[in-house]
PDB file of all heavy atoms in Angstrom:
ATOM      1  N   GLN A  59     137.570  45.610  44.308  1.00  0.00           N
ATOM      2  CA  GLN A  59     138.672  44.850  44.647  1.00  0.00           C
ATOM      3  C   GLN A  59     138.469  44.033  45.986  1.00  0.00           C
ATOM      4  O   GLN A  59     138.747  42.853  45.944  1.00  0.00           O
ATOM      5  CB  GLN A  59     139.924  45.702  44.851  1.00  0.00           C
ATOM      6  CG  GLN A  59     141.278  44.909  44.880  1.00  0.00           C
ATOM      7  CD  GLN A  59     142.406  45.883  44.672  1.00  0.00           C
ATOM      8  OE1 GLN A  59     142.464  46.985  45.196  1.00  0.00           O
ATOM      9  NE2 GLN A  59     143.416  45.443  43.890  1.00  0.00           N
ATOM     10  N   SER A  60     137.906  44.687  46.962  1.00  0.00           N
ATOM     11  CA  SER A  60     137.784  43.975  48.238  1.00  0.00           C
ATOM     12  C   SER A  60     136.775  42.873  48.136  1.00  0.00           C
ATOM     13  O   SER A  60     136.844  41.865  48.802  1.00  0.00           O
ATOM     14  CB  SER A  60     137.402  44.925  49.428  1.00  0.00           C
ATOM     15  OG  SER A  60     136.118  45.435  49.218  1.00  0.00           O
ATOM     16  N   LEU A  61     135.745  43.043  47.282  1.00  0.00           N
ATOM     17  CA  LEU A  61     134.774  42.000  47.044  1.00  0.00           C
ATOM     18  C   LEU A  61     135.254  40.904  46.129  1.00  0.00           C
ATOM     19  O   LEU A  61     134.643  39.848  45.981  1.00  0.00           O
ATOM     20  CB  LEU A  61     133.433  42.568  46.516  1.00  0.00           C
ATOM     21  CG  LEU A  61     132.614  43.546  47.358  1.00  0.00           C
ATOM     22  CD1 LEU A  61     131.546  44.169  46.491  1.00  0.00           C
ATOM     23  CD2 LEU A  61     132.034  42.812  48.477  1.00  0.00           C
ATOM     24  N   ALA A  62     136.391  41.184  45.459  1.00  0.00           N
ATOM     25  CA  ALA A  62     136.910  40.252  44.436  1.00  0.00           C
ATOM     26  C   ALA A  62     135.913  39.909  43.413  1.00  0.00           C
ATOM     27  O   ALA A  62     135.710  38.744  43.114  1.00  0.00           O
ATOM     28  CB  ALA A  62     137.551  39.024  45.099  1.00  0.00           C
ATOM     29  N   VAL A  63     135.209  40.913  42.867  1.00  0.00           N
ATOM     30  CA  VAL A  63     134.210  40.650  41.843  1.00  0.00           C
ATOM     31  C   VAL A  63     134.846  40.300  40.570  1.00  0.00           C
ATOM     32  O   VAL A  63     136.048  40.653  40.226  1.00  0.00           O
ATOM     33  CB  VAL A  63     133.219  41.821  41.650  1.00  0.00           C
ATOM     34  CG1 VAL A  63     132.417  42.085  42.925  1.00  0.00           C
ATOM     35  CG2 VAL A  63     133.935  43.097  41.199  1.00  0.00           C
ATOM     36  N   ASP A  64     134.061  39.544  39.755  1.00  0.00           N
ATOM     37  CA  ASP A  64     134.490  39.109  38.340  1.00  0.00           C
ATOM     38  C   ASP A  64     134.172  40.147  37.351  1.00  0.00           C
ATOM     39  O   ASP A  64     134.617  40.137  36.198  1.00  0.00           O
ATOM     40  CB  ASP A  64     133.943  37.800  38.090  1.00  0.00           C
ATOM     41  CG  ASP A  64     134.222  36.749  39.084  1.00  0.00           C
ATOM     42  OD1 ASP A  64     135.434  36.317  39.155  1.00  0.00           O
ATOM     43  OD2 ASP A  64     133.378  36.460  39.869  1.00  0.00           O
ATOM     44  N   LEU A  65     133.190  41.035  37.685  1.00  0.00           N
ATOM     45  CA  LEU A  65     132.631  41.955  36.690  1.00  0.00           C
ATOM     46  C   LEU A  65     132.065  43.162  37.407  1.00  0.00           C
ATOM     47  O   LEU A  65     131.345  42.973  38.396  1.00  0.00           O
ATOM     48  CB  LEU A  65     131.565  41.288  35.898  1.00  0.00           C
ATOM     49  CG  LEU A  65     130.745  42.103  34.896  1.00  0.00           C
ATOM     50  CD1 LEU A  65     131.667  42.599  33.724  1.00  0.00           C
ATOM     51  CD2 LEU A  65     129.527  41.381  34.304  1.00  0.00           C
ATOM     52  N   VAL A  66     132.293  44.360  36.869  1.00  0.00           N
ATOM     53  CA  VAL A  66     131.593  45.529  37.307  1.00  0.00           C
ATOM     54  C   VAL A  66     130.782  46.036  36.120  1.00  0.00           C
ATOM     55  O   VAL A  66     131.219  46.196  35.018  1.00  0.00           O
ATOM     56  CB  VAL A  66     132.618  46.616  37.804  1.00  0.00           C
ATOM     57  CG1 VAL A  66     131.894  47.961  38.201  1.00  0.00           C
ATOM     58  CG2 VAL A  66     133.457  46.085  38.952  1.00  0.00           C
ATOM     59  N   VAL A  67     129.483  46.375  36.424  1.00  0.00           N
ATOM     60  CA  VAL A  67     128.593  46.891  35.422  1.00  0.00           C
ATOM     61  C   VAL A  67     128.242  48.350  35.789  1.00  0.00           C
ATOM     62  O   VAL A  67     127.606  48.500  36.943  1.00  0.00           O
ATOM     63  CB  VAL A  67     127.255  46.009  35.345  1.00  0.00           C
ATOM     64  CG1 VAL A  67     126.249  46.691  34.303  1.00  0.00           C
ATOM     65  CG2 VAL A  67     127.638  44.638  34.927  1.00  0.00           C
ATOM     66  N   ILE A  68     128.554  49.259  35.069  1.00  0.00           N
ATOM     67  CA  ILE A  68     128.304  50.662  35.481  1.00  0.00           C
ATOM     68  C   ILE A  68     127.088  51.174  34.716  1.00  0.00           C
ATOM     69  O   ILE A  68     127.058  51.205  33.483  1.00  0.00           O
ATOM     70  CB  ILE A  68     129.503  51.546  35.171  1.00  0.00           C
ATOM     71  CG1 ILE A  68     130.819  51.030  35.842  1.00  0.00           C
ATOM     72  CG2 ILE A  68     129.262  53.066  35.496  1.00  0.00           C
ATOM     73  CD1 ILE A  68     132.064  51.779  35.647  1.00  0.00           C
ATOM     74  N   GLY A  69     126.083  51.658  35.455  1.00  0.00           N
ATOM     75  CA  GLY A  69     124.821  52.012  34.885  1.00  0.00           C
ATOM     76  C   GLY A  69     124.765  53.461  34.396  1.00  0.00           C
ATOM     77  O   GLY A  69     124.488  53.690  33.183  1.00  0.00           O
ATOM     78  N   PRO A  70     125.030  54.491  35.212  1.00  0.00           N
ATOM     79  CA  PRO A  70     124.777  55.864  34.822  1.00  0.00           C
ATOM     80  C   PRO A  70     125.960  56.443  34.099  1.00  0.00           C
ATOM     81  O   PRO A  70     127.086  56.079  34.132  1.00  0.00           O
ATOM     82  CB  PRO A  70     124.669  56.612  36.186  1.00  0.00           C
ATOM     83  CG  PRO A  70     124.736  55.607  37.225  1.00  0.00           C
ATOM     84  CD  PRO A  70     125.343  54.373  36.654  1.00  0.00           C
ATOM     85  N   GLU A  71     125.740  57.591  33.444  1.00  0.00           N
ATOM     86  CA  GLU A  71     126.707  58.286  32.570  1.00  0.00           C
ATOM     87  C   GLU A  71     127.780  58.999  33.422  1.00  0.00           C
ATOM     88  O   GLU A  71     128.941  59.066  32.999  1.00  0.00           O
ATOM     89  CB  GLU A  71     126.082  59.344  31.638  1.00  0.00           C
ATOM     90  CG  GLU A  71     125.266  60.491  32.242  1.00  0.00           C
ATOM     91  CD  GLU A  71     123.840  60.094  32.510  1.00  0.00           C
ATOM     92  OE1 GLU A  71     123.507  58.918  32.751  1.00  0.00           O
ATOM     93  OE2 GLU A  71     123.064  61.060  32.557  1.00  0.00           O
ATOM     94  N   VAL A  72     127.369  59.528  34.617  1.00  0.00           N
ATOM     95  CA  VAL A  72     128.310  60.366  35.337  1.00  0.00           C
ATOM     96  C   VAL A  72     129.692  59.577  35.699  1.00  0.00           C
ATOM     97  O   VAL A  72     130.749  60.077  35.350  1.00  0.00           O
ATOM     98  CB  VAL A  72     127.677  61.082  36.528  1.00  0.00           C
ATOM     99  CG1 VAL A  72     128.640  61.692  37.500  1.00  0.00           C
ATOM    100  CG2 VAL A  72     126.685  62.121  36.037  1.00  0.00           C
ATOM    101  N   PRO A  73     129.574  58.467  36.302  1.00  0.00           N
ATOM    102  CA  PRO A  73     130.843  57.712  36.606  1.00  0.00           C
ATOM    103  C   PRO A  73     131.609  57.399  35.331  1.00  0.00           C
ATOM    104  O   PRO A  73     132.877  57.368  35.333  1.00  0.00           O
ATOM    105  CB  PRO A  73     130.325  56.469  37.370  1.00  0.00           C
ATOM    106  CG  PRO A  73     128.929  56.344  37.166  1.00  0.00           C
ATOM    107  CD  PRO A  73     128.367  57.692  36.860  1.00  0.00           C
ATOM    108  N   LEU A  74     130.880  57.096  34.139  1.00  0.00           N
ATOM    109  CA  LEU A  74     131.593  56.685  32.977  1.00  0.00           C
ATOM    110  C   LEU A  74     132.339  57.856  32.469  1.00  0.00           C
ATOM    111  O   LEU A  74     133.532  57.749  32.129  1.00  0.00           O
ATOM    112  CB  LEU A  74     130.589  56.227  31.964  1.00  0.00           C
ATOM    113  CG  LEU A  74     129.879  54.907  32.278  1.00  0.00           C
ATOM    114  CD1 LEU A  74     128.633  54.635  31.403  1.00  0.00           C
ATOM    115  CD2 LEU A  74     130.850  53.763  32.193  1.00  0.00           C
ATOM    116  N   VAL A  75     131.704  59.016  32.387  1.00  0.00           N
ATOM    117  CA  VAL A  75     132.372  60.267  31.824  1.00  0.00           C
ATOM    118  C   VAL A  75     133.450  60.671  32.867  1.00  0.00           C
ATOM    119  O   VAL A  75     134.501  61.220  32.467  1.00  0.00           O
ATOM    120  CB  VAL A  75     131.364  61.368  31.669  1.00  0.00           C
ATOM    121  CG1 VAL A  75     131.959  62.650  31.372  1.00  0.00           C
ATOM    122  CG2 VAL A  75     130.444  60.970  30.480  1.00  0.00           C
ATOM    123  N   ASN A  76     133.324  60.297  34.143  1.00  0.00           N
ATOM    124  CA  ASN A  76     134.435  60.625  35.148  1.00  0.00           C
ATOM    125  C   ASN A  76     135.534  59.638  35.091  1.00  0.00           C
ATOM    126  O   ASN A  76     136.502  59.745  35.896  1.00  0.00           O
ATOM    127  CB  ASN A  76     133.899  60.530  36.536  1.00  0.00           C
ATOM    128  CG  ASN A  76     133.030  61.700  36.955  1.00  0.00           C
ATOM    129  OD1 ASN A  76     133.079  62.702  36.286  1.00  0.00           O
ATOM    130  ND2 ASN A  76     132.223  61.563  38.054  1.00  0.00           N
ATOM    131  N   GLY A  77     135.429  58.520  34.294  1.00  0.00           N
ATOM    132  CA  GLY A  77     136.558  57.632  34.199  1.00  0.00           C
ATOM    133  C   GLY A  77     136.523  56.517  35.197  1.00  0.00           C
ATOM    134  O   GLY A  77     137.574  55.795  35.474  1.00  0.00           O
ATOM    135  N   ALA A  78     135.381  56.186  35.840  1.00  0.00           N
ATOM    136  CA  ALA A  78     135.307  55.104  36.790  1.00  0.00           C
ATOM    137  C   ALA A  78     135.802  53.725  36.183  1.00  0.00           C
ATOM    138  O   ALA A  78     136.514  52.973  36.821  1.00  0.00           O
ATOM    139  CB  ALA A  78     133.910  54.959  37.400  1.00  0.00           C
ATOM    140  N   ALA A  79     135.377  53.514  34.933  1.00  0.00           N
ATOM    141  CA  ALA A  79     135.770  52.281  34.265  1.00  0.00           C
ATOM    142  C   ALA A  79     137.279  52.079  34.189  1.00  0.00           C
ATOM    143  O   ALA A  79     137.839  51.029  34.367  1.00  0.00           O
ATOM    144  CB  ALA A  79     135.087  52.135  32.884  1.00  0.00           C
ATOM    145  N   ASP A  80     137.970  53.180  33.865  1.00  0.00           N
ATOM    146  CA  ASP A  80     139.431  53.127  33.703  1.00  0.00           C
ATOM    147  C   ASP A  80     140.088  52.734  35.053  1.00  0.00           C
ATOM    148  O   ASP A  80     141.031  51.965  35.111  1.00  0.00           O
ATOM    149  CB  ASP A  80     139.959  54.518  33.304  1.00  0.00           C
ATOM    150  CG  ASP A  80     139.254  55.003  32.084  1.00  0.00           C
ATOM    151  OD1 ASP A  80     138.078  55.410  32.175  1.00  0.00           O
ATOM    152  OD2 ASP A  80     139.878  54.940  30.907  1.00  0.00           O
TER     153      ASP A  80
END
Side-chain angles (χ1 to χ4, degrees):
Q59 192 166 41
S60 70
L61 294 169
V63 295
D64 304 289
L65 173 68
V66 177
V67 176
I68 301 180
E71 63 274 23
V72 167
L74 293 166
V75 170
N76 283 345
D80 307 74

